[in-house]
Amino acid sequence: DAGVIQSPRHEVTEMGQEVTLRCKPISGHNSLFWYRQTMMRGLELLIYFNNNVPIDDSGMPEDRFSAKMPNASFSTLKIQPSEPRDSAVYFCASSFGGRFGNTEAFFGQGTRLTVV
Amino acid sequence: AQRVTQPEKLLSVFKGAPVELKCNYSYSGSPELFWYVQYSRQRLQLLLRHISRESIKGFTADLNKGETSFHLKKPFAQEEDSAMYYCALNNAGNMLTFGGGTRLMVKP
């Protein structure tokens, strides 16, 4: 397995434009996470899916952000409209929520988003 | 609600000096604690987990439920330890929450 795959690796867009980030989790994993990494706030959990169902989206900043997981092998994070303060590195991670105490999350390479 | 706090954003030490990266958590249940590390230009990856009681690359971490802490320690820091370190908590529902991270710089 190639691990968690995110695309694109870099995205530069103008304020007001729609941005879609994509993630392919590791096959067989049943949990998927979207995180945002900034210097000021570290690694913030945006949304967590389990078995393709959103379990906790309390970290999603506002209505401009939305995430979907139509099937076990694909998820998207969309920002519409984008703003300069959304500039950050966005990470996707997946894990298998099996026996308690044995859940390691595997991260993608991240998408560096710059909104100008 | 679960929360992870890393009070230091930056920790700078000299090579060979001891290192302690602090992590405190709040969680009403029985937590599963981890340390993740992000080396320059690499993916975030698991360093160690409390349940394994293991030592990885010379690092250890002990879960102290009384103090709700999970500090990461290494007796002698190496330059290759320079990286971003994140403490993380996994709840019973498999939701993984991270602290703000601590950047460790080991100077020669």
Side-chain angles (χ1 to χ4, degrees):
Chain A
D1 202 317
V4 177
I5 300 173
Q6 290 186 246
S7 64
R9 291 290 307 279
H10 302 274
E11 177 80 36
V12 180
T13 190
E14 291 185 346
M15 182 174 65
Q17 296 297 305
E18 177 181 298
V19 175
T20 299
L21 311 181
R22 296 173 176 79
C23 174
K24 182 180 187 309
I26 291 174
S27 177
H29 282 187
N30 59 0
S31 295
L32 184 138
F33 309 84
W34 281 101
Y35 293 92
R36 178 171 65 178
Q37 184 186 45
T38 61
M39 290 286 289
M40 291 300 297
R41 302 169 74 104
L43 206 57
E44 301 173 275
L45 176 62
L46 300 178
I47 188 167
Y48 158 52
F49 292 88
N50 186 258
N51 293 321
N52 313 337
V53 175
I55 303 300
D56 191 312
D57 65 355
S58 58
M60 295 285 262
E62 48 200 90
D63 291 345
R64 297 184 298 107
F65 284 68
S66 62
K68 294 182 179 179
M69 191 164 186
N71 56 62
S73 59
F74 185 65
S75 176
T76 59
L77 178 67
K78 185 178 293 186
I79 308 172
Q80 164 65 18
S82 57
E83 296 182 3
R85 60 191 168 122
D86 301 331
S87 298
V89 180
Y90 290 81
F91 286 101
C92 177
S94 72
S95 71
F96 177 69
R99 181 174 63 85
F100 185 73
N102 192 31
T103 48
E104 175 183 354
F106 293 84
F107 281 76
Q109 295 271 40
T111 295
R112 182 174 296 278
L113 173 66
T114 303
V115 183
V116 298
Chain B
Q2 61 194 67
R3 187 179 185 89
V4 180
T5 304
Q6 294 179 248
E8 303 143 327
K9 281 196 175 296
L10 174 66
L11 184 62
S12 182
V13 301
F14 284 102
K15 176 182 172 182
V19 170
E20 182 178 50
L21 302 172
K22 291 184 167 51
C23 171
N24 289 92
Y25 67 91
S26 62
Y27 179 57
S28 57
S30 185
E32 183 183 346
L33 276 297
F34 303 84
W35 276 98
Y36 281 77
V37 61
Q38 187 178 27
Y39 300 105
S40 180
R41 303 183 190 284
Q42 294 188 26
R43 300 182 187 219
L44 195 67
Q45 58 188 286
L46 177 67
L47 178 63
L48 55 77
R49 68 191 88 192
H50 90 268
I51 201 164
S52 300
R53 294 183 165 273
E54 56 202 345
S55 173
I56 303 293
K57 299 184 179 182
F59 284 97
T60 59
D62 292 318
L63 177 60
N64 186 323
K65 291 187 177 181
E67 296 182 358
T68 60
S69 68
F70 188 56
H71 304 325
L72 183 68
K73 300 177 184 179
K74 184 168 183 176
F76 309 103
Q78 303 299 314
E79 289 182 67
E80 55 266 30
D81 296 328
S82 295
M84 194 76 183
Y85 291 80
Y86 288 96
C87 183
L89 183 153
N90 200 3
N91 68 10
N94 199 36
M95 189 169 86
L96 191 61
T97 303
F98 286 83
T102 299
R103 180 167 297 283
L104 174 64
M105 292 180 57
V106 181
K107 297 176 286 188

